[in-house]
Amino acid sequence: MDYSSKVNKIVVNEVWYGLINDDWEYKKIKYVFDERKETNNPIKTEELISLTMEDGVVPHSMKTGSGGNKPKEDLSKYKVVHPGDIVINPMNVIVGSVGLSKYYGVLSPVYITLTPKEDSGKVEFYDYLFSTELFQKSLIGMGNGILIRESESSGKLNTIRMRIPMEKLGNHFLPIPPREEQKQIVDFLDKKTTQIEKLIKKIEQKIELLKEQKTSLINEVVTKGLNPNVEMKDSGVEWIGEIPKHYVSVKLRWIIDSIKDGTHGTHPSSDDGKILLSGKNVQDGFLNINDSERRIPLEEHEKIIKNGYPKEGDVLVSSVGSIGRSCVFEYPEPISFQRSVCFIRPSFKLNSYYLSYLIRSNVCQNQITTLINQSTVGGIYMGDLTNLYVITPPREEQEQIVEYLDEHTKKIDKTILVEERRIELLKEYKQSLISEVVTGKKRVV
């Protein structure tokens, strides 16, 4: 060990909340790992490796999450990473951007790559250790740059743009068990986390089936109605097919009073200003607003709403990003939106909630998908939306359909929420288990 004084031991214990066993020791990261500084000059490989929160360390071609390397033509200045190296994003390590590489390739030079020393033990143990919130929180105060803050409601770190240099990281202490116990810990956690991940996967599949069931229900009811014995007719629109004989198939423009989108301008931010929402806030069936939404000065908000804003009963449709989500606006006071949201004001012939269900059904979604594929702007225009073919039953029947769908989709949504909570609890249990085992609070010997 690189120290023996009681004072140092007290300081280290404070960092790690007083955890470790008598037969464990503390070591600085620089005495456990060497920094790999191998460059790709001359070119050794063109396999680009990415580190993301969702996927860990994977080839760029396999990543599904956001972040990670962006491909560049010149890879000669990139760092080489080997299987068994620990890759750290020094800007985001405090929120878990760290992982074990199973691949040979190259990384952006901004990353820190650690390779274990010969006597360090199991690198998989350190991979588990680095993934814990306990380790991540122990880095607070070490970074250069933006101040780190925690959300008062969740306790989660919500400011991540700060950089921890290798000089400081290398002097950070880790709790180290004997090598044989490291192996036992890894074997135990591999088994337990695999079991948890399999269970999470099953629940995710169940949620997907529930969502498909909900979509199928909406499709069936808005196109066929509630009477299974109703007489049908050809809608006259190929992708709609048959509809009840008393339904009407028309373009949306003929049964709405108006349509408008949000602001096209750029606006400064203000911590104590008015909320400015976008298409990402429009979810299927509800408007999702949280405490972290962007805000703009009051005068900017007033400029926006002077040109029009959604009123209670208007139908919101996301027109950029995740296109085609819809909900009914239910707020009594004006809210500012960006251009990625359209506000549709139905005529007296159309129930707002029926229209929202209709837009979310395959009748409209298939048309929207076709428009997206033809678009070069990454969104759809208001004129595109008003040209959608829609089907409308009599107003009274629309209200019956809304009442039926509200009742049955809420049951499905409630089940989905329960299953999503199960996933959250399993993930929390997984992190808690890892943290307890790699710090010696829970022994697996």
Side-chain angles (χ1 to χ4, degrees), residues 105-376:
V106 290
L107 288 156
S108 167
V110 303
Y111 292 101
I112 294 174
T113 307
L114 302 178
T115 182
K117 295 178 181 290
E118 288 187 9
D119 61 347
S120 297
K122 297 282 289 184
V123 69
E124 293 84 359
F125 165 80
Y126 298 101
D127 183 39
Y128 277 123
L129 179 61
F130 291 160
S131 74
T132 64
E133 188 175 311
L134 190 60
F135 170 75
Q136 293 151 19
K137 284 193 171 183
S138 74
L139 301 176
I140 291 176
M142 293 177 58
N144 299 329
I146 295 176
L147 179 66
I148 303 160
R149 296 176 297 176
E150 288 190 10
S151 166
E152 291 182 3
S153 59
S154 67
K156 299 288 185 181
L157 298 169
N158 60 12
T159 302
I160 59 177
R161 280 295 169 193
M162 42 79 67
R163 180 181 178 83
I164 299 178
M166 183 58 199
E167 302 77 53
K168 289 186 177 180
L169 188 66
N171 283 313
H172 192 60
F173 286 94
L174 299 177
I176 313 291
R179 294 183 64 174
E180 179 58 32
E181 190 168 350
Q182 289 182 37
K183 181 181 183 306
Q184 292 168 343
I185 287 171
V186 170
D187 291 344
F188 174 81
L189 289 177
D190 282 351
K191 179 181 178 180
K192 290 295 184 181
T193 56
T194 299
Q195 291 172 344
I196 294 169
E197 289 299 331
K198 285 182 178 179
L199 183 53
I200 289 174
K201 189 71 175 176
K202 285 183 179 180
I203 298 173
E204 288 174 339
Q205 291 170 347
K206 181 179 179 180
I207 290 173
E208 286 306 309
L209 289 173
L210 286 165
K211 289 179 178 178
E212 290 173 11
Q213 178 185 343
K214 178 181 173 181
T215 300
S216 177
L217 176 65
I218 293 172
N219 291 336
E220 181 69 19
V221 174
V222 299
T223 57
K224 309 300 183 187
L226 298 173
N227 181 2
N229 301 315
V230 69
E231 187 177 351
M232 307 293 284
K233 69 176 181 181
D234 187 348
S235 66
V237 182
E238 182 180 353
W239 56 83
I240 294 179
E242 287 193 332
I243 60 175
K245 189 175 181 178
H246 60 293
Y247 282 23
V248 178
S249 174
V250 295
K251 286 189 175 182
L252 182 61
R253 66 171 64 246
W254 303 119
I255 52 174
I256 63 173
D257 286 342
S258 63
I259 183 171
K260 191 185 182 306
D261 60 0
T263 175
H264 288 236
T266 56
H267 306 276
S269 296
S270 171
D271 290 340
D272 57 352
K274 291 285 189 177
I275 287 175
L276 177 63
L277 300 181
S278 67
K280 69 179 176 60
N281 298 103
V282 178
Q283 302 297 314
D284 279 335
F286 66 97
L287 189 62
N288 183 27
I289 305 176
N290 58 55
D291 294 338
S292 63
E293 302 298 346
R294 186 187 166 206
R295 293 178 177 271
I296 57 174
L298 175 61
E299 56 269 24
E300 295 290 323
H301 165 73
E302 290 177 343
K303 286 180 186 176
I304 294 171
I305 63 173
K306 188 178 291 185
N307 293 319
Y309 57 88
K311 297 183 178 179
E312 283 188 274
D314 286 355
V315 176
L316 308 183
V317 182
S318 58
S319 55
V320 176
S322 298
I323 300 169
R325 294 191 301 221
S326 74
C327 67
V328 177
F329 189 74
E330 298 177 325
Y331 293 81
E333 55 186 55
I335 297 178
S336 296
F337 283 87
Q338 298 180 35
R339 68 162 296 268
S340 53
V341 178
C342 289
F343 330 132
I344 300 173
R345 191 158 297 160
S347 71
F348 69 94
K349 297 179 181 179
L350 201 53
N351 178 287
S352 298
Y353 294 92
Y354 173 80
L355 176 58
S356 180
Y357 276 124
L358 187 61
I359 290 172
R360 287 143 57 190
S361 75
N362 284 347
V363 170
C364 291
Q365 289 297 311
N366 290 341
Q367 296 177 73
I368 289 171
T369 299
T370 301
L371 291 170
I372 294 170
N373 292 337
Q374 295 172 349
S375 173
T376 58

Side-chain angles (χ1 to χ4, degrees), residues 33-93:
F33 291 93
D34 291 317
E35 182 182 7
R36 189 184 293 280
K37 298 182 179 179
E38 180 183 354
T39 65
N40 199 34
N41 187 15
I43 300 296
K44 303 178 181 71
T45 176
E46 294 185 354
E47 180 68 71
L48 187 65
I49 302 295
S50 285
L51 168 64
T52 71
M53 300 284 287
E54 297 89 343
D55 305 310
V57 184
V58 295
H60 183 78
S61 58
M62 291 173 54
K63 89 180 182 77
T64 60
S66 58
N69 284 301
K70 303 295 187 292
K72 292 185 179 179
E73 292 184 7
D74 182 13
L75 299 178
S76 62
K77 294 182 179 179
Y78 273 41
K79 289 182 177 179
V80 175
V81 59
H82 292 253
D85 287 349
I86 296 283
V87 178
I88 295 174
N89 182 342
M91 299 290 287
N92 292 335
V93 63

Side-chain angles (χ1 to χ4, degrees), residues 378-392:
I380 54 175
Y381 294 107
M382 289 183 289
D384 294 329
L385 283 173
T386 60
N387 277 323
L388 296 178
Y389 279 96
V390 296
I391 53 177
T392 56

